[in-house]
Amino acid sequence: MDFEALLKVVGHFGRYQKCFLLLVSFMVLINTTHLYIQVFTAGKSDHWCQSWVNEDCPTDIDDADLNCEDFKKALSIPMVDNDTSYEQCTKYNVSGIDLQTAIDLGDDVTKLNVIPCDEGWEYDRSTFPSTIVQDFELVCGKSYLPNIAQSIYFAGYFVGSALGGLAADTIGRRLSLLLNIACSFVVGLLTMFSPNMAIFITLRFFVAVFLKSIGIINFVAITEVVAPSKRVLVANFMWMFFAGGYFLLSGMAKLIGNWRLLTLIFTLPYIPLFVITFFFLQESPRWLITRRDTAKAQKVLSRIASVNQRDIQEEEIQKSCDVDAPETTKTNEAVGNLAALIRSPTILLIVVNMSFNWAVQSLVFYGLSLSTSSLGIDPYISFIISGAIEIPAYFSCIFVAEWLGRKGATFTTMILGGLCCCITPLIPIGIPRALVAMGGKFFITMSFSIVYTWSAELIPTPLRSSGIGLFSLTSRVGGILAPLILLLDQVWTSLPILVFGSFSITAGLLCLLMPETKGKPLPASVGDTKLLYKKAHKAEDDEDGKNEDNYKPIDVSEKPALA
């Protein structure tokens, strides 16, 4: 009995898998808020130099249009833009001049020298009551630091993409998930108490490392315990919670206002998440079998069957595992690391193709998201639409991936997304162009979701977490390149979106070189993946009379798994 048949016996999408999916989806929701929280915690607001910090306004000042702080501001800050706004980084040199003297000088104050702010800044807190910009005075000469912080956060994603997969393949899905949840809580809590920007940036880096690891481990773990027909449904259910994180974050940020309290609110959920994971989540039985720990795998499968209310004897599970073990545990011990991904030419071809695909997906996704202000409509409306359109995209690909298959769906959506990008420059600026560009975002969101499931179905079990981690790592490269490609608009306004479209079409065409995995068992060894690839290219005859619909994992005992 192969593992898919065994999983069907204990329940391949029963109560256990559904509860697991809800747990994972809630983690995705919370992780999304941490990803985008700096949009609000580092929100930019108007600012100006402080003057006479410790002095009160004279009691005889009576101006209905100016309060005391505005009065100080009018006396000490130069006006710019035809006297419509105040200078943000300089002031008149009123050092040594008390407020009453400045009042007596009147317009003569404007004859004083202009100097940089020497007493700190005041901020317009009407939109953002409390931010790191205000607390750490990240304005004027330090205004670039929030961008550096976000770049370093994505560098943490880069590291987490590699370490998360390696940890899951080495010590198991459950233990590595628990460790990352605990670390996320600790580091998130410390971030709230950051005394300066250097510590804030450092802690945010580690937050990204642990959260990205959680995402990779969760995706792999849930994929390994559901039926092949449910994998796309599971993945897109999770992605809908990712999109829901936008709305949760914006609503809470508007309600809370204080960046430290907002950070705390989105960190506290890791406590119940850890407790629920510890008591509910079982180790991946598929991973245990590849580690030759069939005794523990039997216990896990029995618990899953119990939660799924399946009436099955433990002896039956034991017998099934004993039959299945020789086929799935003779894989070379060395396959549990990233180096094994490139030792087999077949695996190497898959890894290179999928790595390029992931990088392009990220490149086009973030490129379109960052360029919404160039579409000729209100930038806030276009940005909201850009985020909201992800929900129907995730919902649609549940059906498209089952209808066209993983390869057909990824090919179709990437080609359509690329074509939308390429024709966007031909559309008049305004609502028509925005609709076409958002069509590109819709299709690339679909393909980005489908490729997660497709990748997990191509990489063998001992390497699955490491493989997904590697693909996620390469996707960070696309995210880094997207803002740089947007700079090409200085050469030609339409050049960036044409570059995005060209890359999308190229990656879509390369999908045709990959095998289809819809309805197939997850490969348990490198040999299984090689067989999938060879059958897709008709490189060998099916000597044992099995067709693709009856495909089962091959016995790799006759030759080295990495040959």
Side-chain angles (χ1 to χ4, degrees):
M1 180 184 293
D2 61 52
F3 188 85
E4 304 300 338
L6 177 59
L7 189 60
K8 186 176 181 180
V9 171
V10 300
H12 56 202
F13 198 62
R15 182 181 297 178
Y16 174 81
Q17 286 86 350
K18 292 173 182 176
C19 291
F20 187 9
L21 178 57
L22 286 175
L23 174 64
V24 168
S25 298
F26 190 71
M27 290 188 200
V28 170
L29 180 73
I30 300 302
N31 290 358
T32 303
T33 63
H34 284 277
L35 170 61
Y36 292 114
I37 195 171
Q38 194 168 306
V39 172
F40 302 98
T41 61
K44 296 181 179 180
S45 57
D46 190 19
H47 53 275
W48 55 90
C49 300
Q50 280 189 333
S51 298
W52 304 294
V53 178
N54 298 318
E55 291 194 40
D56 296 327
C57 286
T59 56
D60 58 345
I61 296 297
D62 185 15
D63 192 325
D65 296 327
L66 291 175
N67 59 34
C68 185
E69 293 304 321
D70 289 336
F71 188 78
K72 293 178 181 179
K73 177 180 175 183
L75 278 175
S76 60
I77 310 298
M79 299 288 289
V80 293
D81 297 332
N82 296 323
D83 294 339
T84 59
S85 61
Y86 288 97
E87 175 61 60
Q88 294 184 321
C89 300
T90 60
K91 59 184 282 189
Y92 295 118
N93 188 5
V94 295
S95 302
I97 301 176
D98 60 29
L99 182 55
Q100 185 60 59
T101 302
I103 294 173
D104 295 338
L105 287 173
D107 290 341
D108 288 339
V109 172
T110 61
K111 299 177 182 178
L112 297 173
N113 293 331
V114 174
I115 62 171
C117 300
D118 60 351
E119 297 182 84
W121 285 264
E122 283 289 334
Y123 301 90
D124 179 0
R125 299 176 184 267
S126 58
T127 302
F128 300 107
S130 170
T131 66
I132 60 171
V133 173
Q134 298 163 6
D135 283 10
F136 304 143
E137 297 195 330
L138 305 180
V139 294
C140 300
K142 296 181 180 180
S143 60
Y144 64 93
L145 286 176
N147 298 76
I148 296 296
Q150 192 62 39
S151 296
I152 293 177
Y153 183 89
F154 279 111
Y157 260 37
F158 191 88
V159 174
S161 297
L163 297 183
L166 287 173
D169 285 339
T170 303
I171 65 175
R173 287 36 166 163
R174 181 177 179 273
L175 178 57
S176 56
L177 182 58
L178 286 170
L179 289 174
N180 279 284
I181 293 174
C183 291
S184 296
F185 171 74
V186 173
V187 178
L189 197 63
L190 291 174
T191 303
M192 184 188 70
F193 296 104
S194 299
N196 55 57
M197 193 58 182
I199 293 178
F200 177 85
I201 290 176
T202 302
L203 292 173
R204 283 281 292 170
F205 170 83
F206 285 106
V207 167
V209 171
F210 297 131
L211 293 188
K212 189 59 182 178
S213 297
I214 289 174
I216 291 173
I217 296 165
N218 274 336
F219 179 77
V220 171
I222 190 68
T223 300
E224 290 180 339
V225 294
V226 299
S229 62
K230 301 296 183 181
R231 292 173 194 154
V232 174
L233 171 66
V234 164
N236 286 280
F237 187 84
M238 292 163 55
W239 285 126
M240 288 181 189
F241 276 76
F242 178 86
Y246 289 93
F247 301 99
L248 175 63
L249 174 60
S250 59
M252 293 301 295
K254 181 68 174 178
L255 179 65
I256 302 302
N258 185 291
W259 76 269
R260 295 182 189 272
L261 184 55
L262 190 65
T263 302
L264 175 63
I265 287 174
F266 290 126
T267 299
L268 288 177
Y270 288 113
I271 296 177
L273 286 174
F274 181 89
V275 174
I276 295 172
T277 301
F278 182 84
F279 288 103
F280 170 77
L281 186 62
Q282 305 296 316
E283 181 55 84
S284 167
R286 198 185 294 264
W287 179 81
L288 289 170
I289 291 176
T290 63
R291 303 289 290 188
R292 301 177 182 172
D293 195 349
T294 54
K296 188 175 291 186
Q298 292 163 20
K299 293 181 180 179
V300 169
L301 288 167
S302 295
R303 291 170 185 165
I304 294 176
S306 176
V307 174
N308 288 340
Q309 298 180 318
R310 291 296 184 97
D311 186 14
I312 183 171
Q313 299 297 320
E314 187 169 338
E315 293 77 11
E316 184 178 352
I317 295 177
Q318 180 179 356
K319 181 179 178 181
S320 300
C321 285
D322 290 341
V323 173
D324 196 45
E327 294 187 346
T328 58
T329 62
K330 292 183 179 179
T331 307
N332 193 301
E333 293 289 347
V335 301
N337 55 66
L338 281 174
L341 286 172
I342 61 175
R343 291 178 184 171
S344 166
T346 300
I347 299 295
L348 179 60
L349 287 173
I350 292 175
V351 167
V352 171
N353 197 329
M354 295 306 291
S355 294
F356 177 74
N357 192 290
W358 278 59
V360 171
Q361 301 272 6
S362 181
L363 173 72
V364 181
F365 181 88
Y366 288 111
L368 291 176
S369 298
L370 294 171
S371 61
T372 54
S373 60
S374 63
L375 300 176
I377 64 175
D378 185 281
Y380 295 99
I381 294 177
S382 62
F383 186 79
I384 291 173
I385 294 174
S386 178
I389 203 170
E390 293 183 23
I391 296 177
Y394 295 138
F395 183 78
S396 298
C397 68
I398 294 175
F399 306 100
V400 174
E402 293 299 325
W403 176 38
L404 298 177
R406 296 4 173 194
K407 179 167 71 174
T410 306
F411 165 77
T412 301
T413 52
M414 293 200 76
I415 294 295
L416 290 176
L419 290 175
C420 285
C421 291
C422 290
I423 66 174
T424 294
L426 305 177
I427 308 299
I429 291 179
I431 294 179
R433 175 175 288 194
L435 291 175
V436 175
M438 289 303 101
K441 175 72 182 294
F442 176 84
F443 289 120
I444 205 65
T445 299
M446 288 182 64
S447 62
F448 212 166
S449 175
I450 296 168
V451 80
Y452 263 82
T453 303
W454 194 17
S455 299
E457 294 176 341
L458 284 170
I459 302 299
T461 299
L463 299 173
R464 189 164 296 119
S465 291
S466 299
I468 297 297
L470 176 62
F471 298 148
S472 181
L473 187 147
T474 57
S475 75
R476 300 304 109 199
V477 177
I480 293 170
L481 289 177
L484 301 179
I485 291 178
L486 289 175
L487 295 176
L488 295 176
D489 65 352
Q490 299 177 11
V491 179
W492 179 30
T493 304
S494 301
L495 185 55
I497 200 166
L498 290 176
V499 172
F500 298 145
S502 300
F503 270 108
S504 183
I505 292 173
T506 301
L509 292 173
L510 289 175
C511 287
L512 298 177
L513 301 177
M514 306 294 286
E516 177 59 68
T517 60
K518 174 190 171 184
K520 303 295 190 300
L522 289 178
S525 68
V526 173
D528 297 346
T529 300
K530 290 171 65 176
L531 183 60
L532 262 179
Y533 193 88
K534 289 178 181 178
K535 283 189 173 183
H537 292 79
K538 300 181 180 179
E540 64 180 15
D541 295 330
D542 196 355
E543 296 178 350
D544 57 2
K546 295 185 292 184
N547 56 31
E548 290 186 328
D549 292 331
N550 296 321
Y551 163 73
K552 294 182 179 180
I554 65 171
D555 187 348
V556 297
S557 59
E558 298 181 358
K559 55 184 178 180
L562 297 178

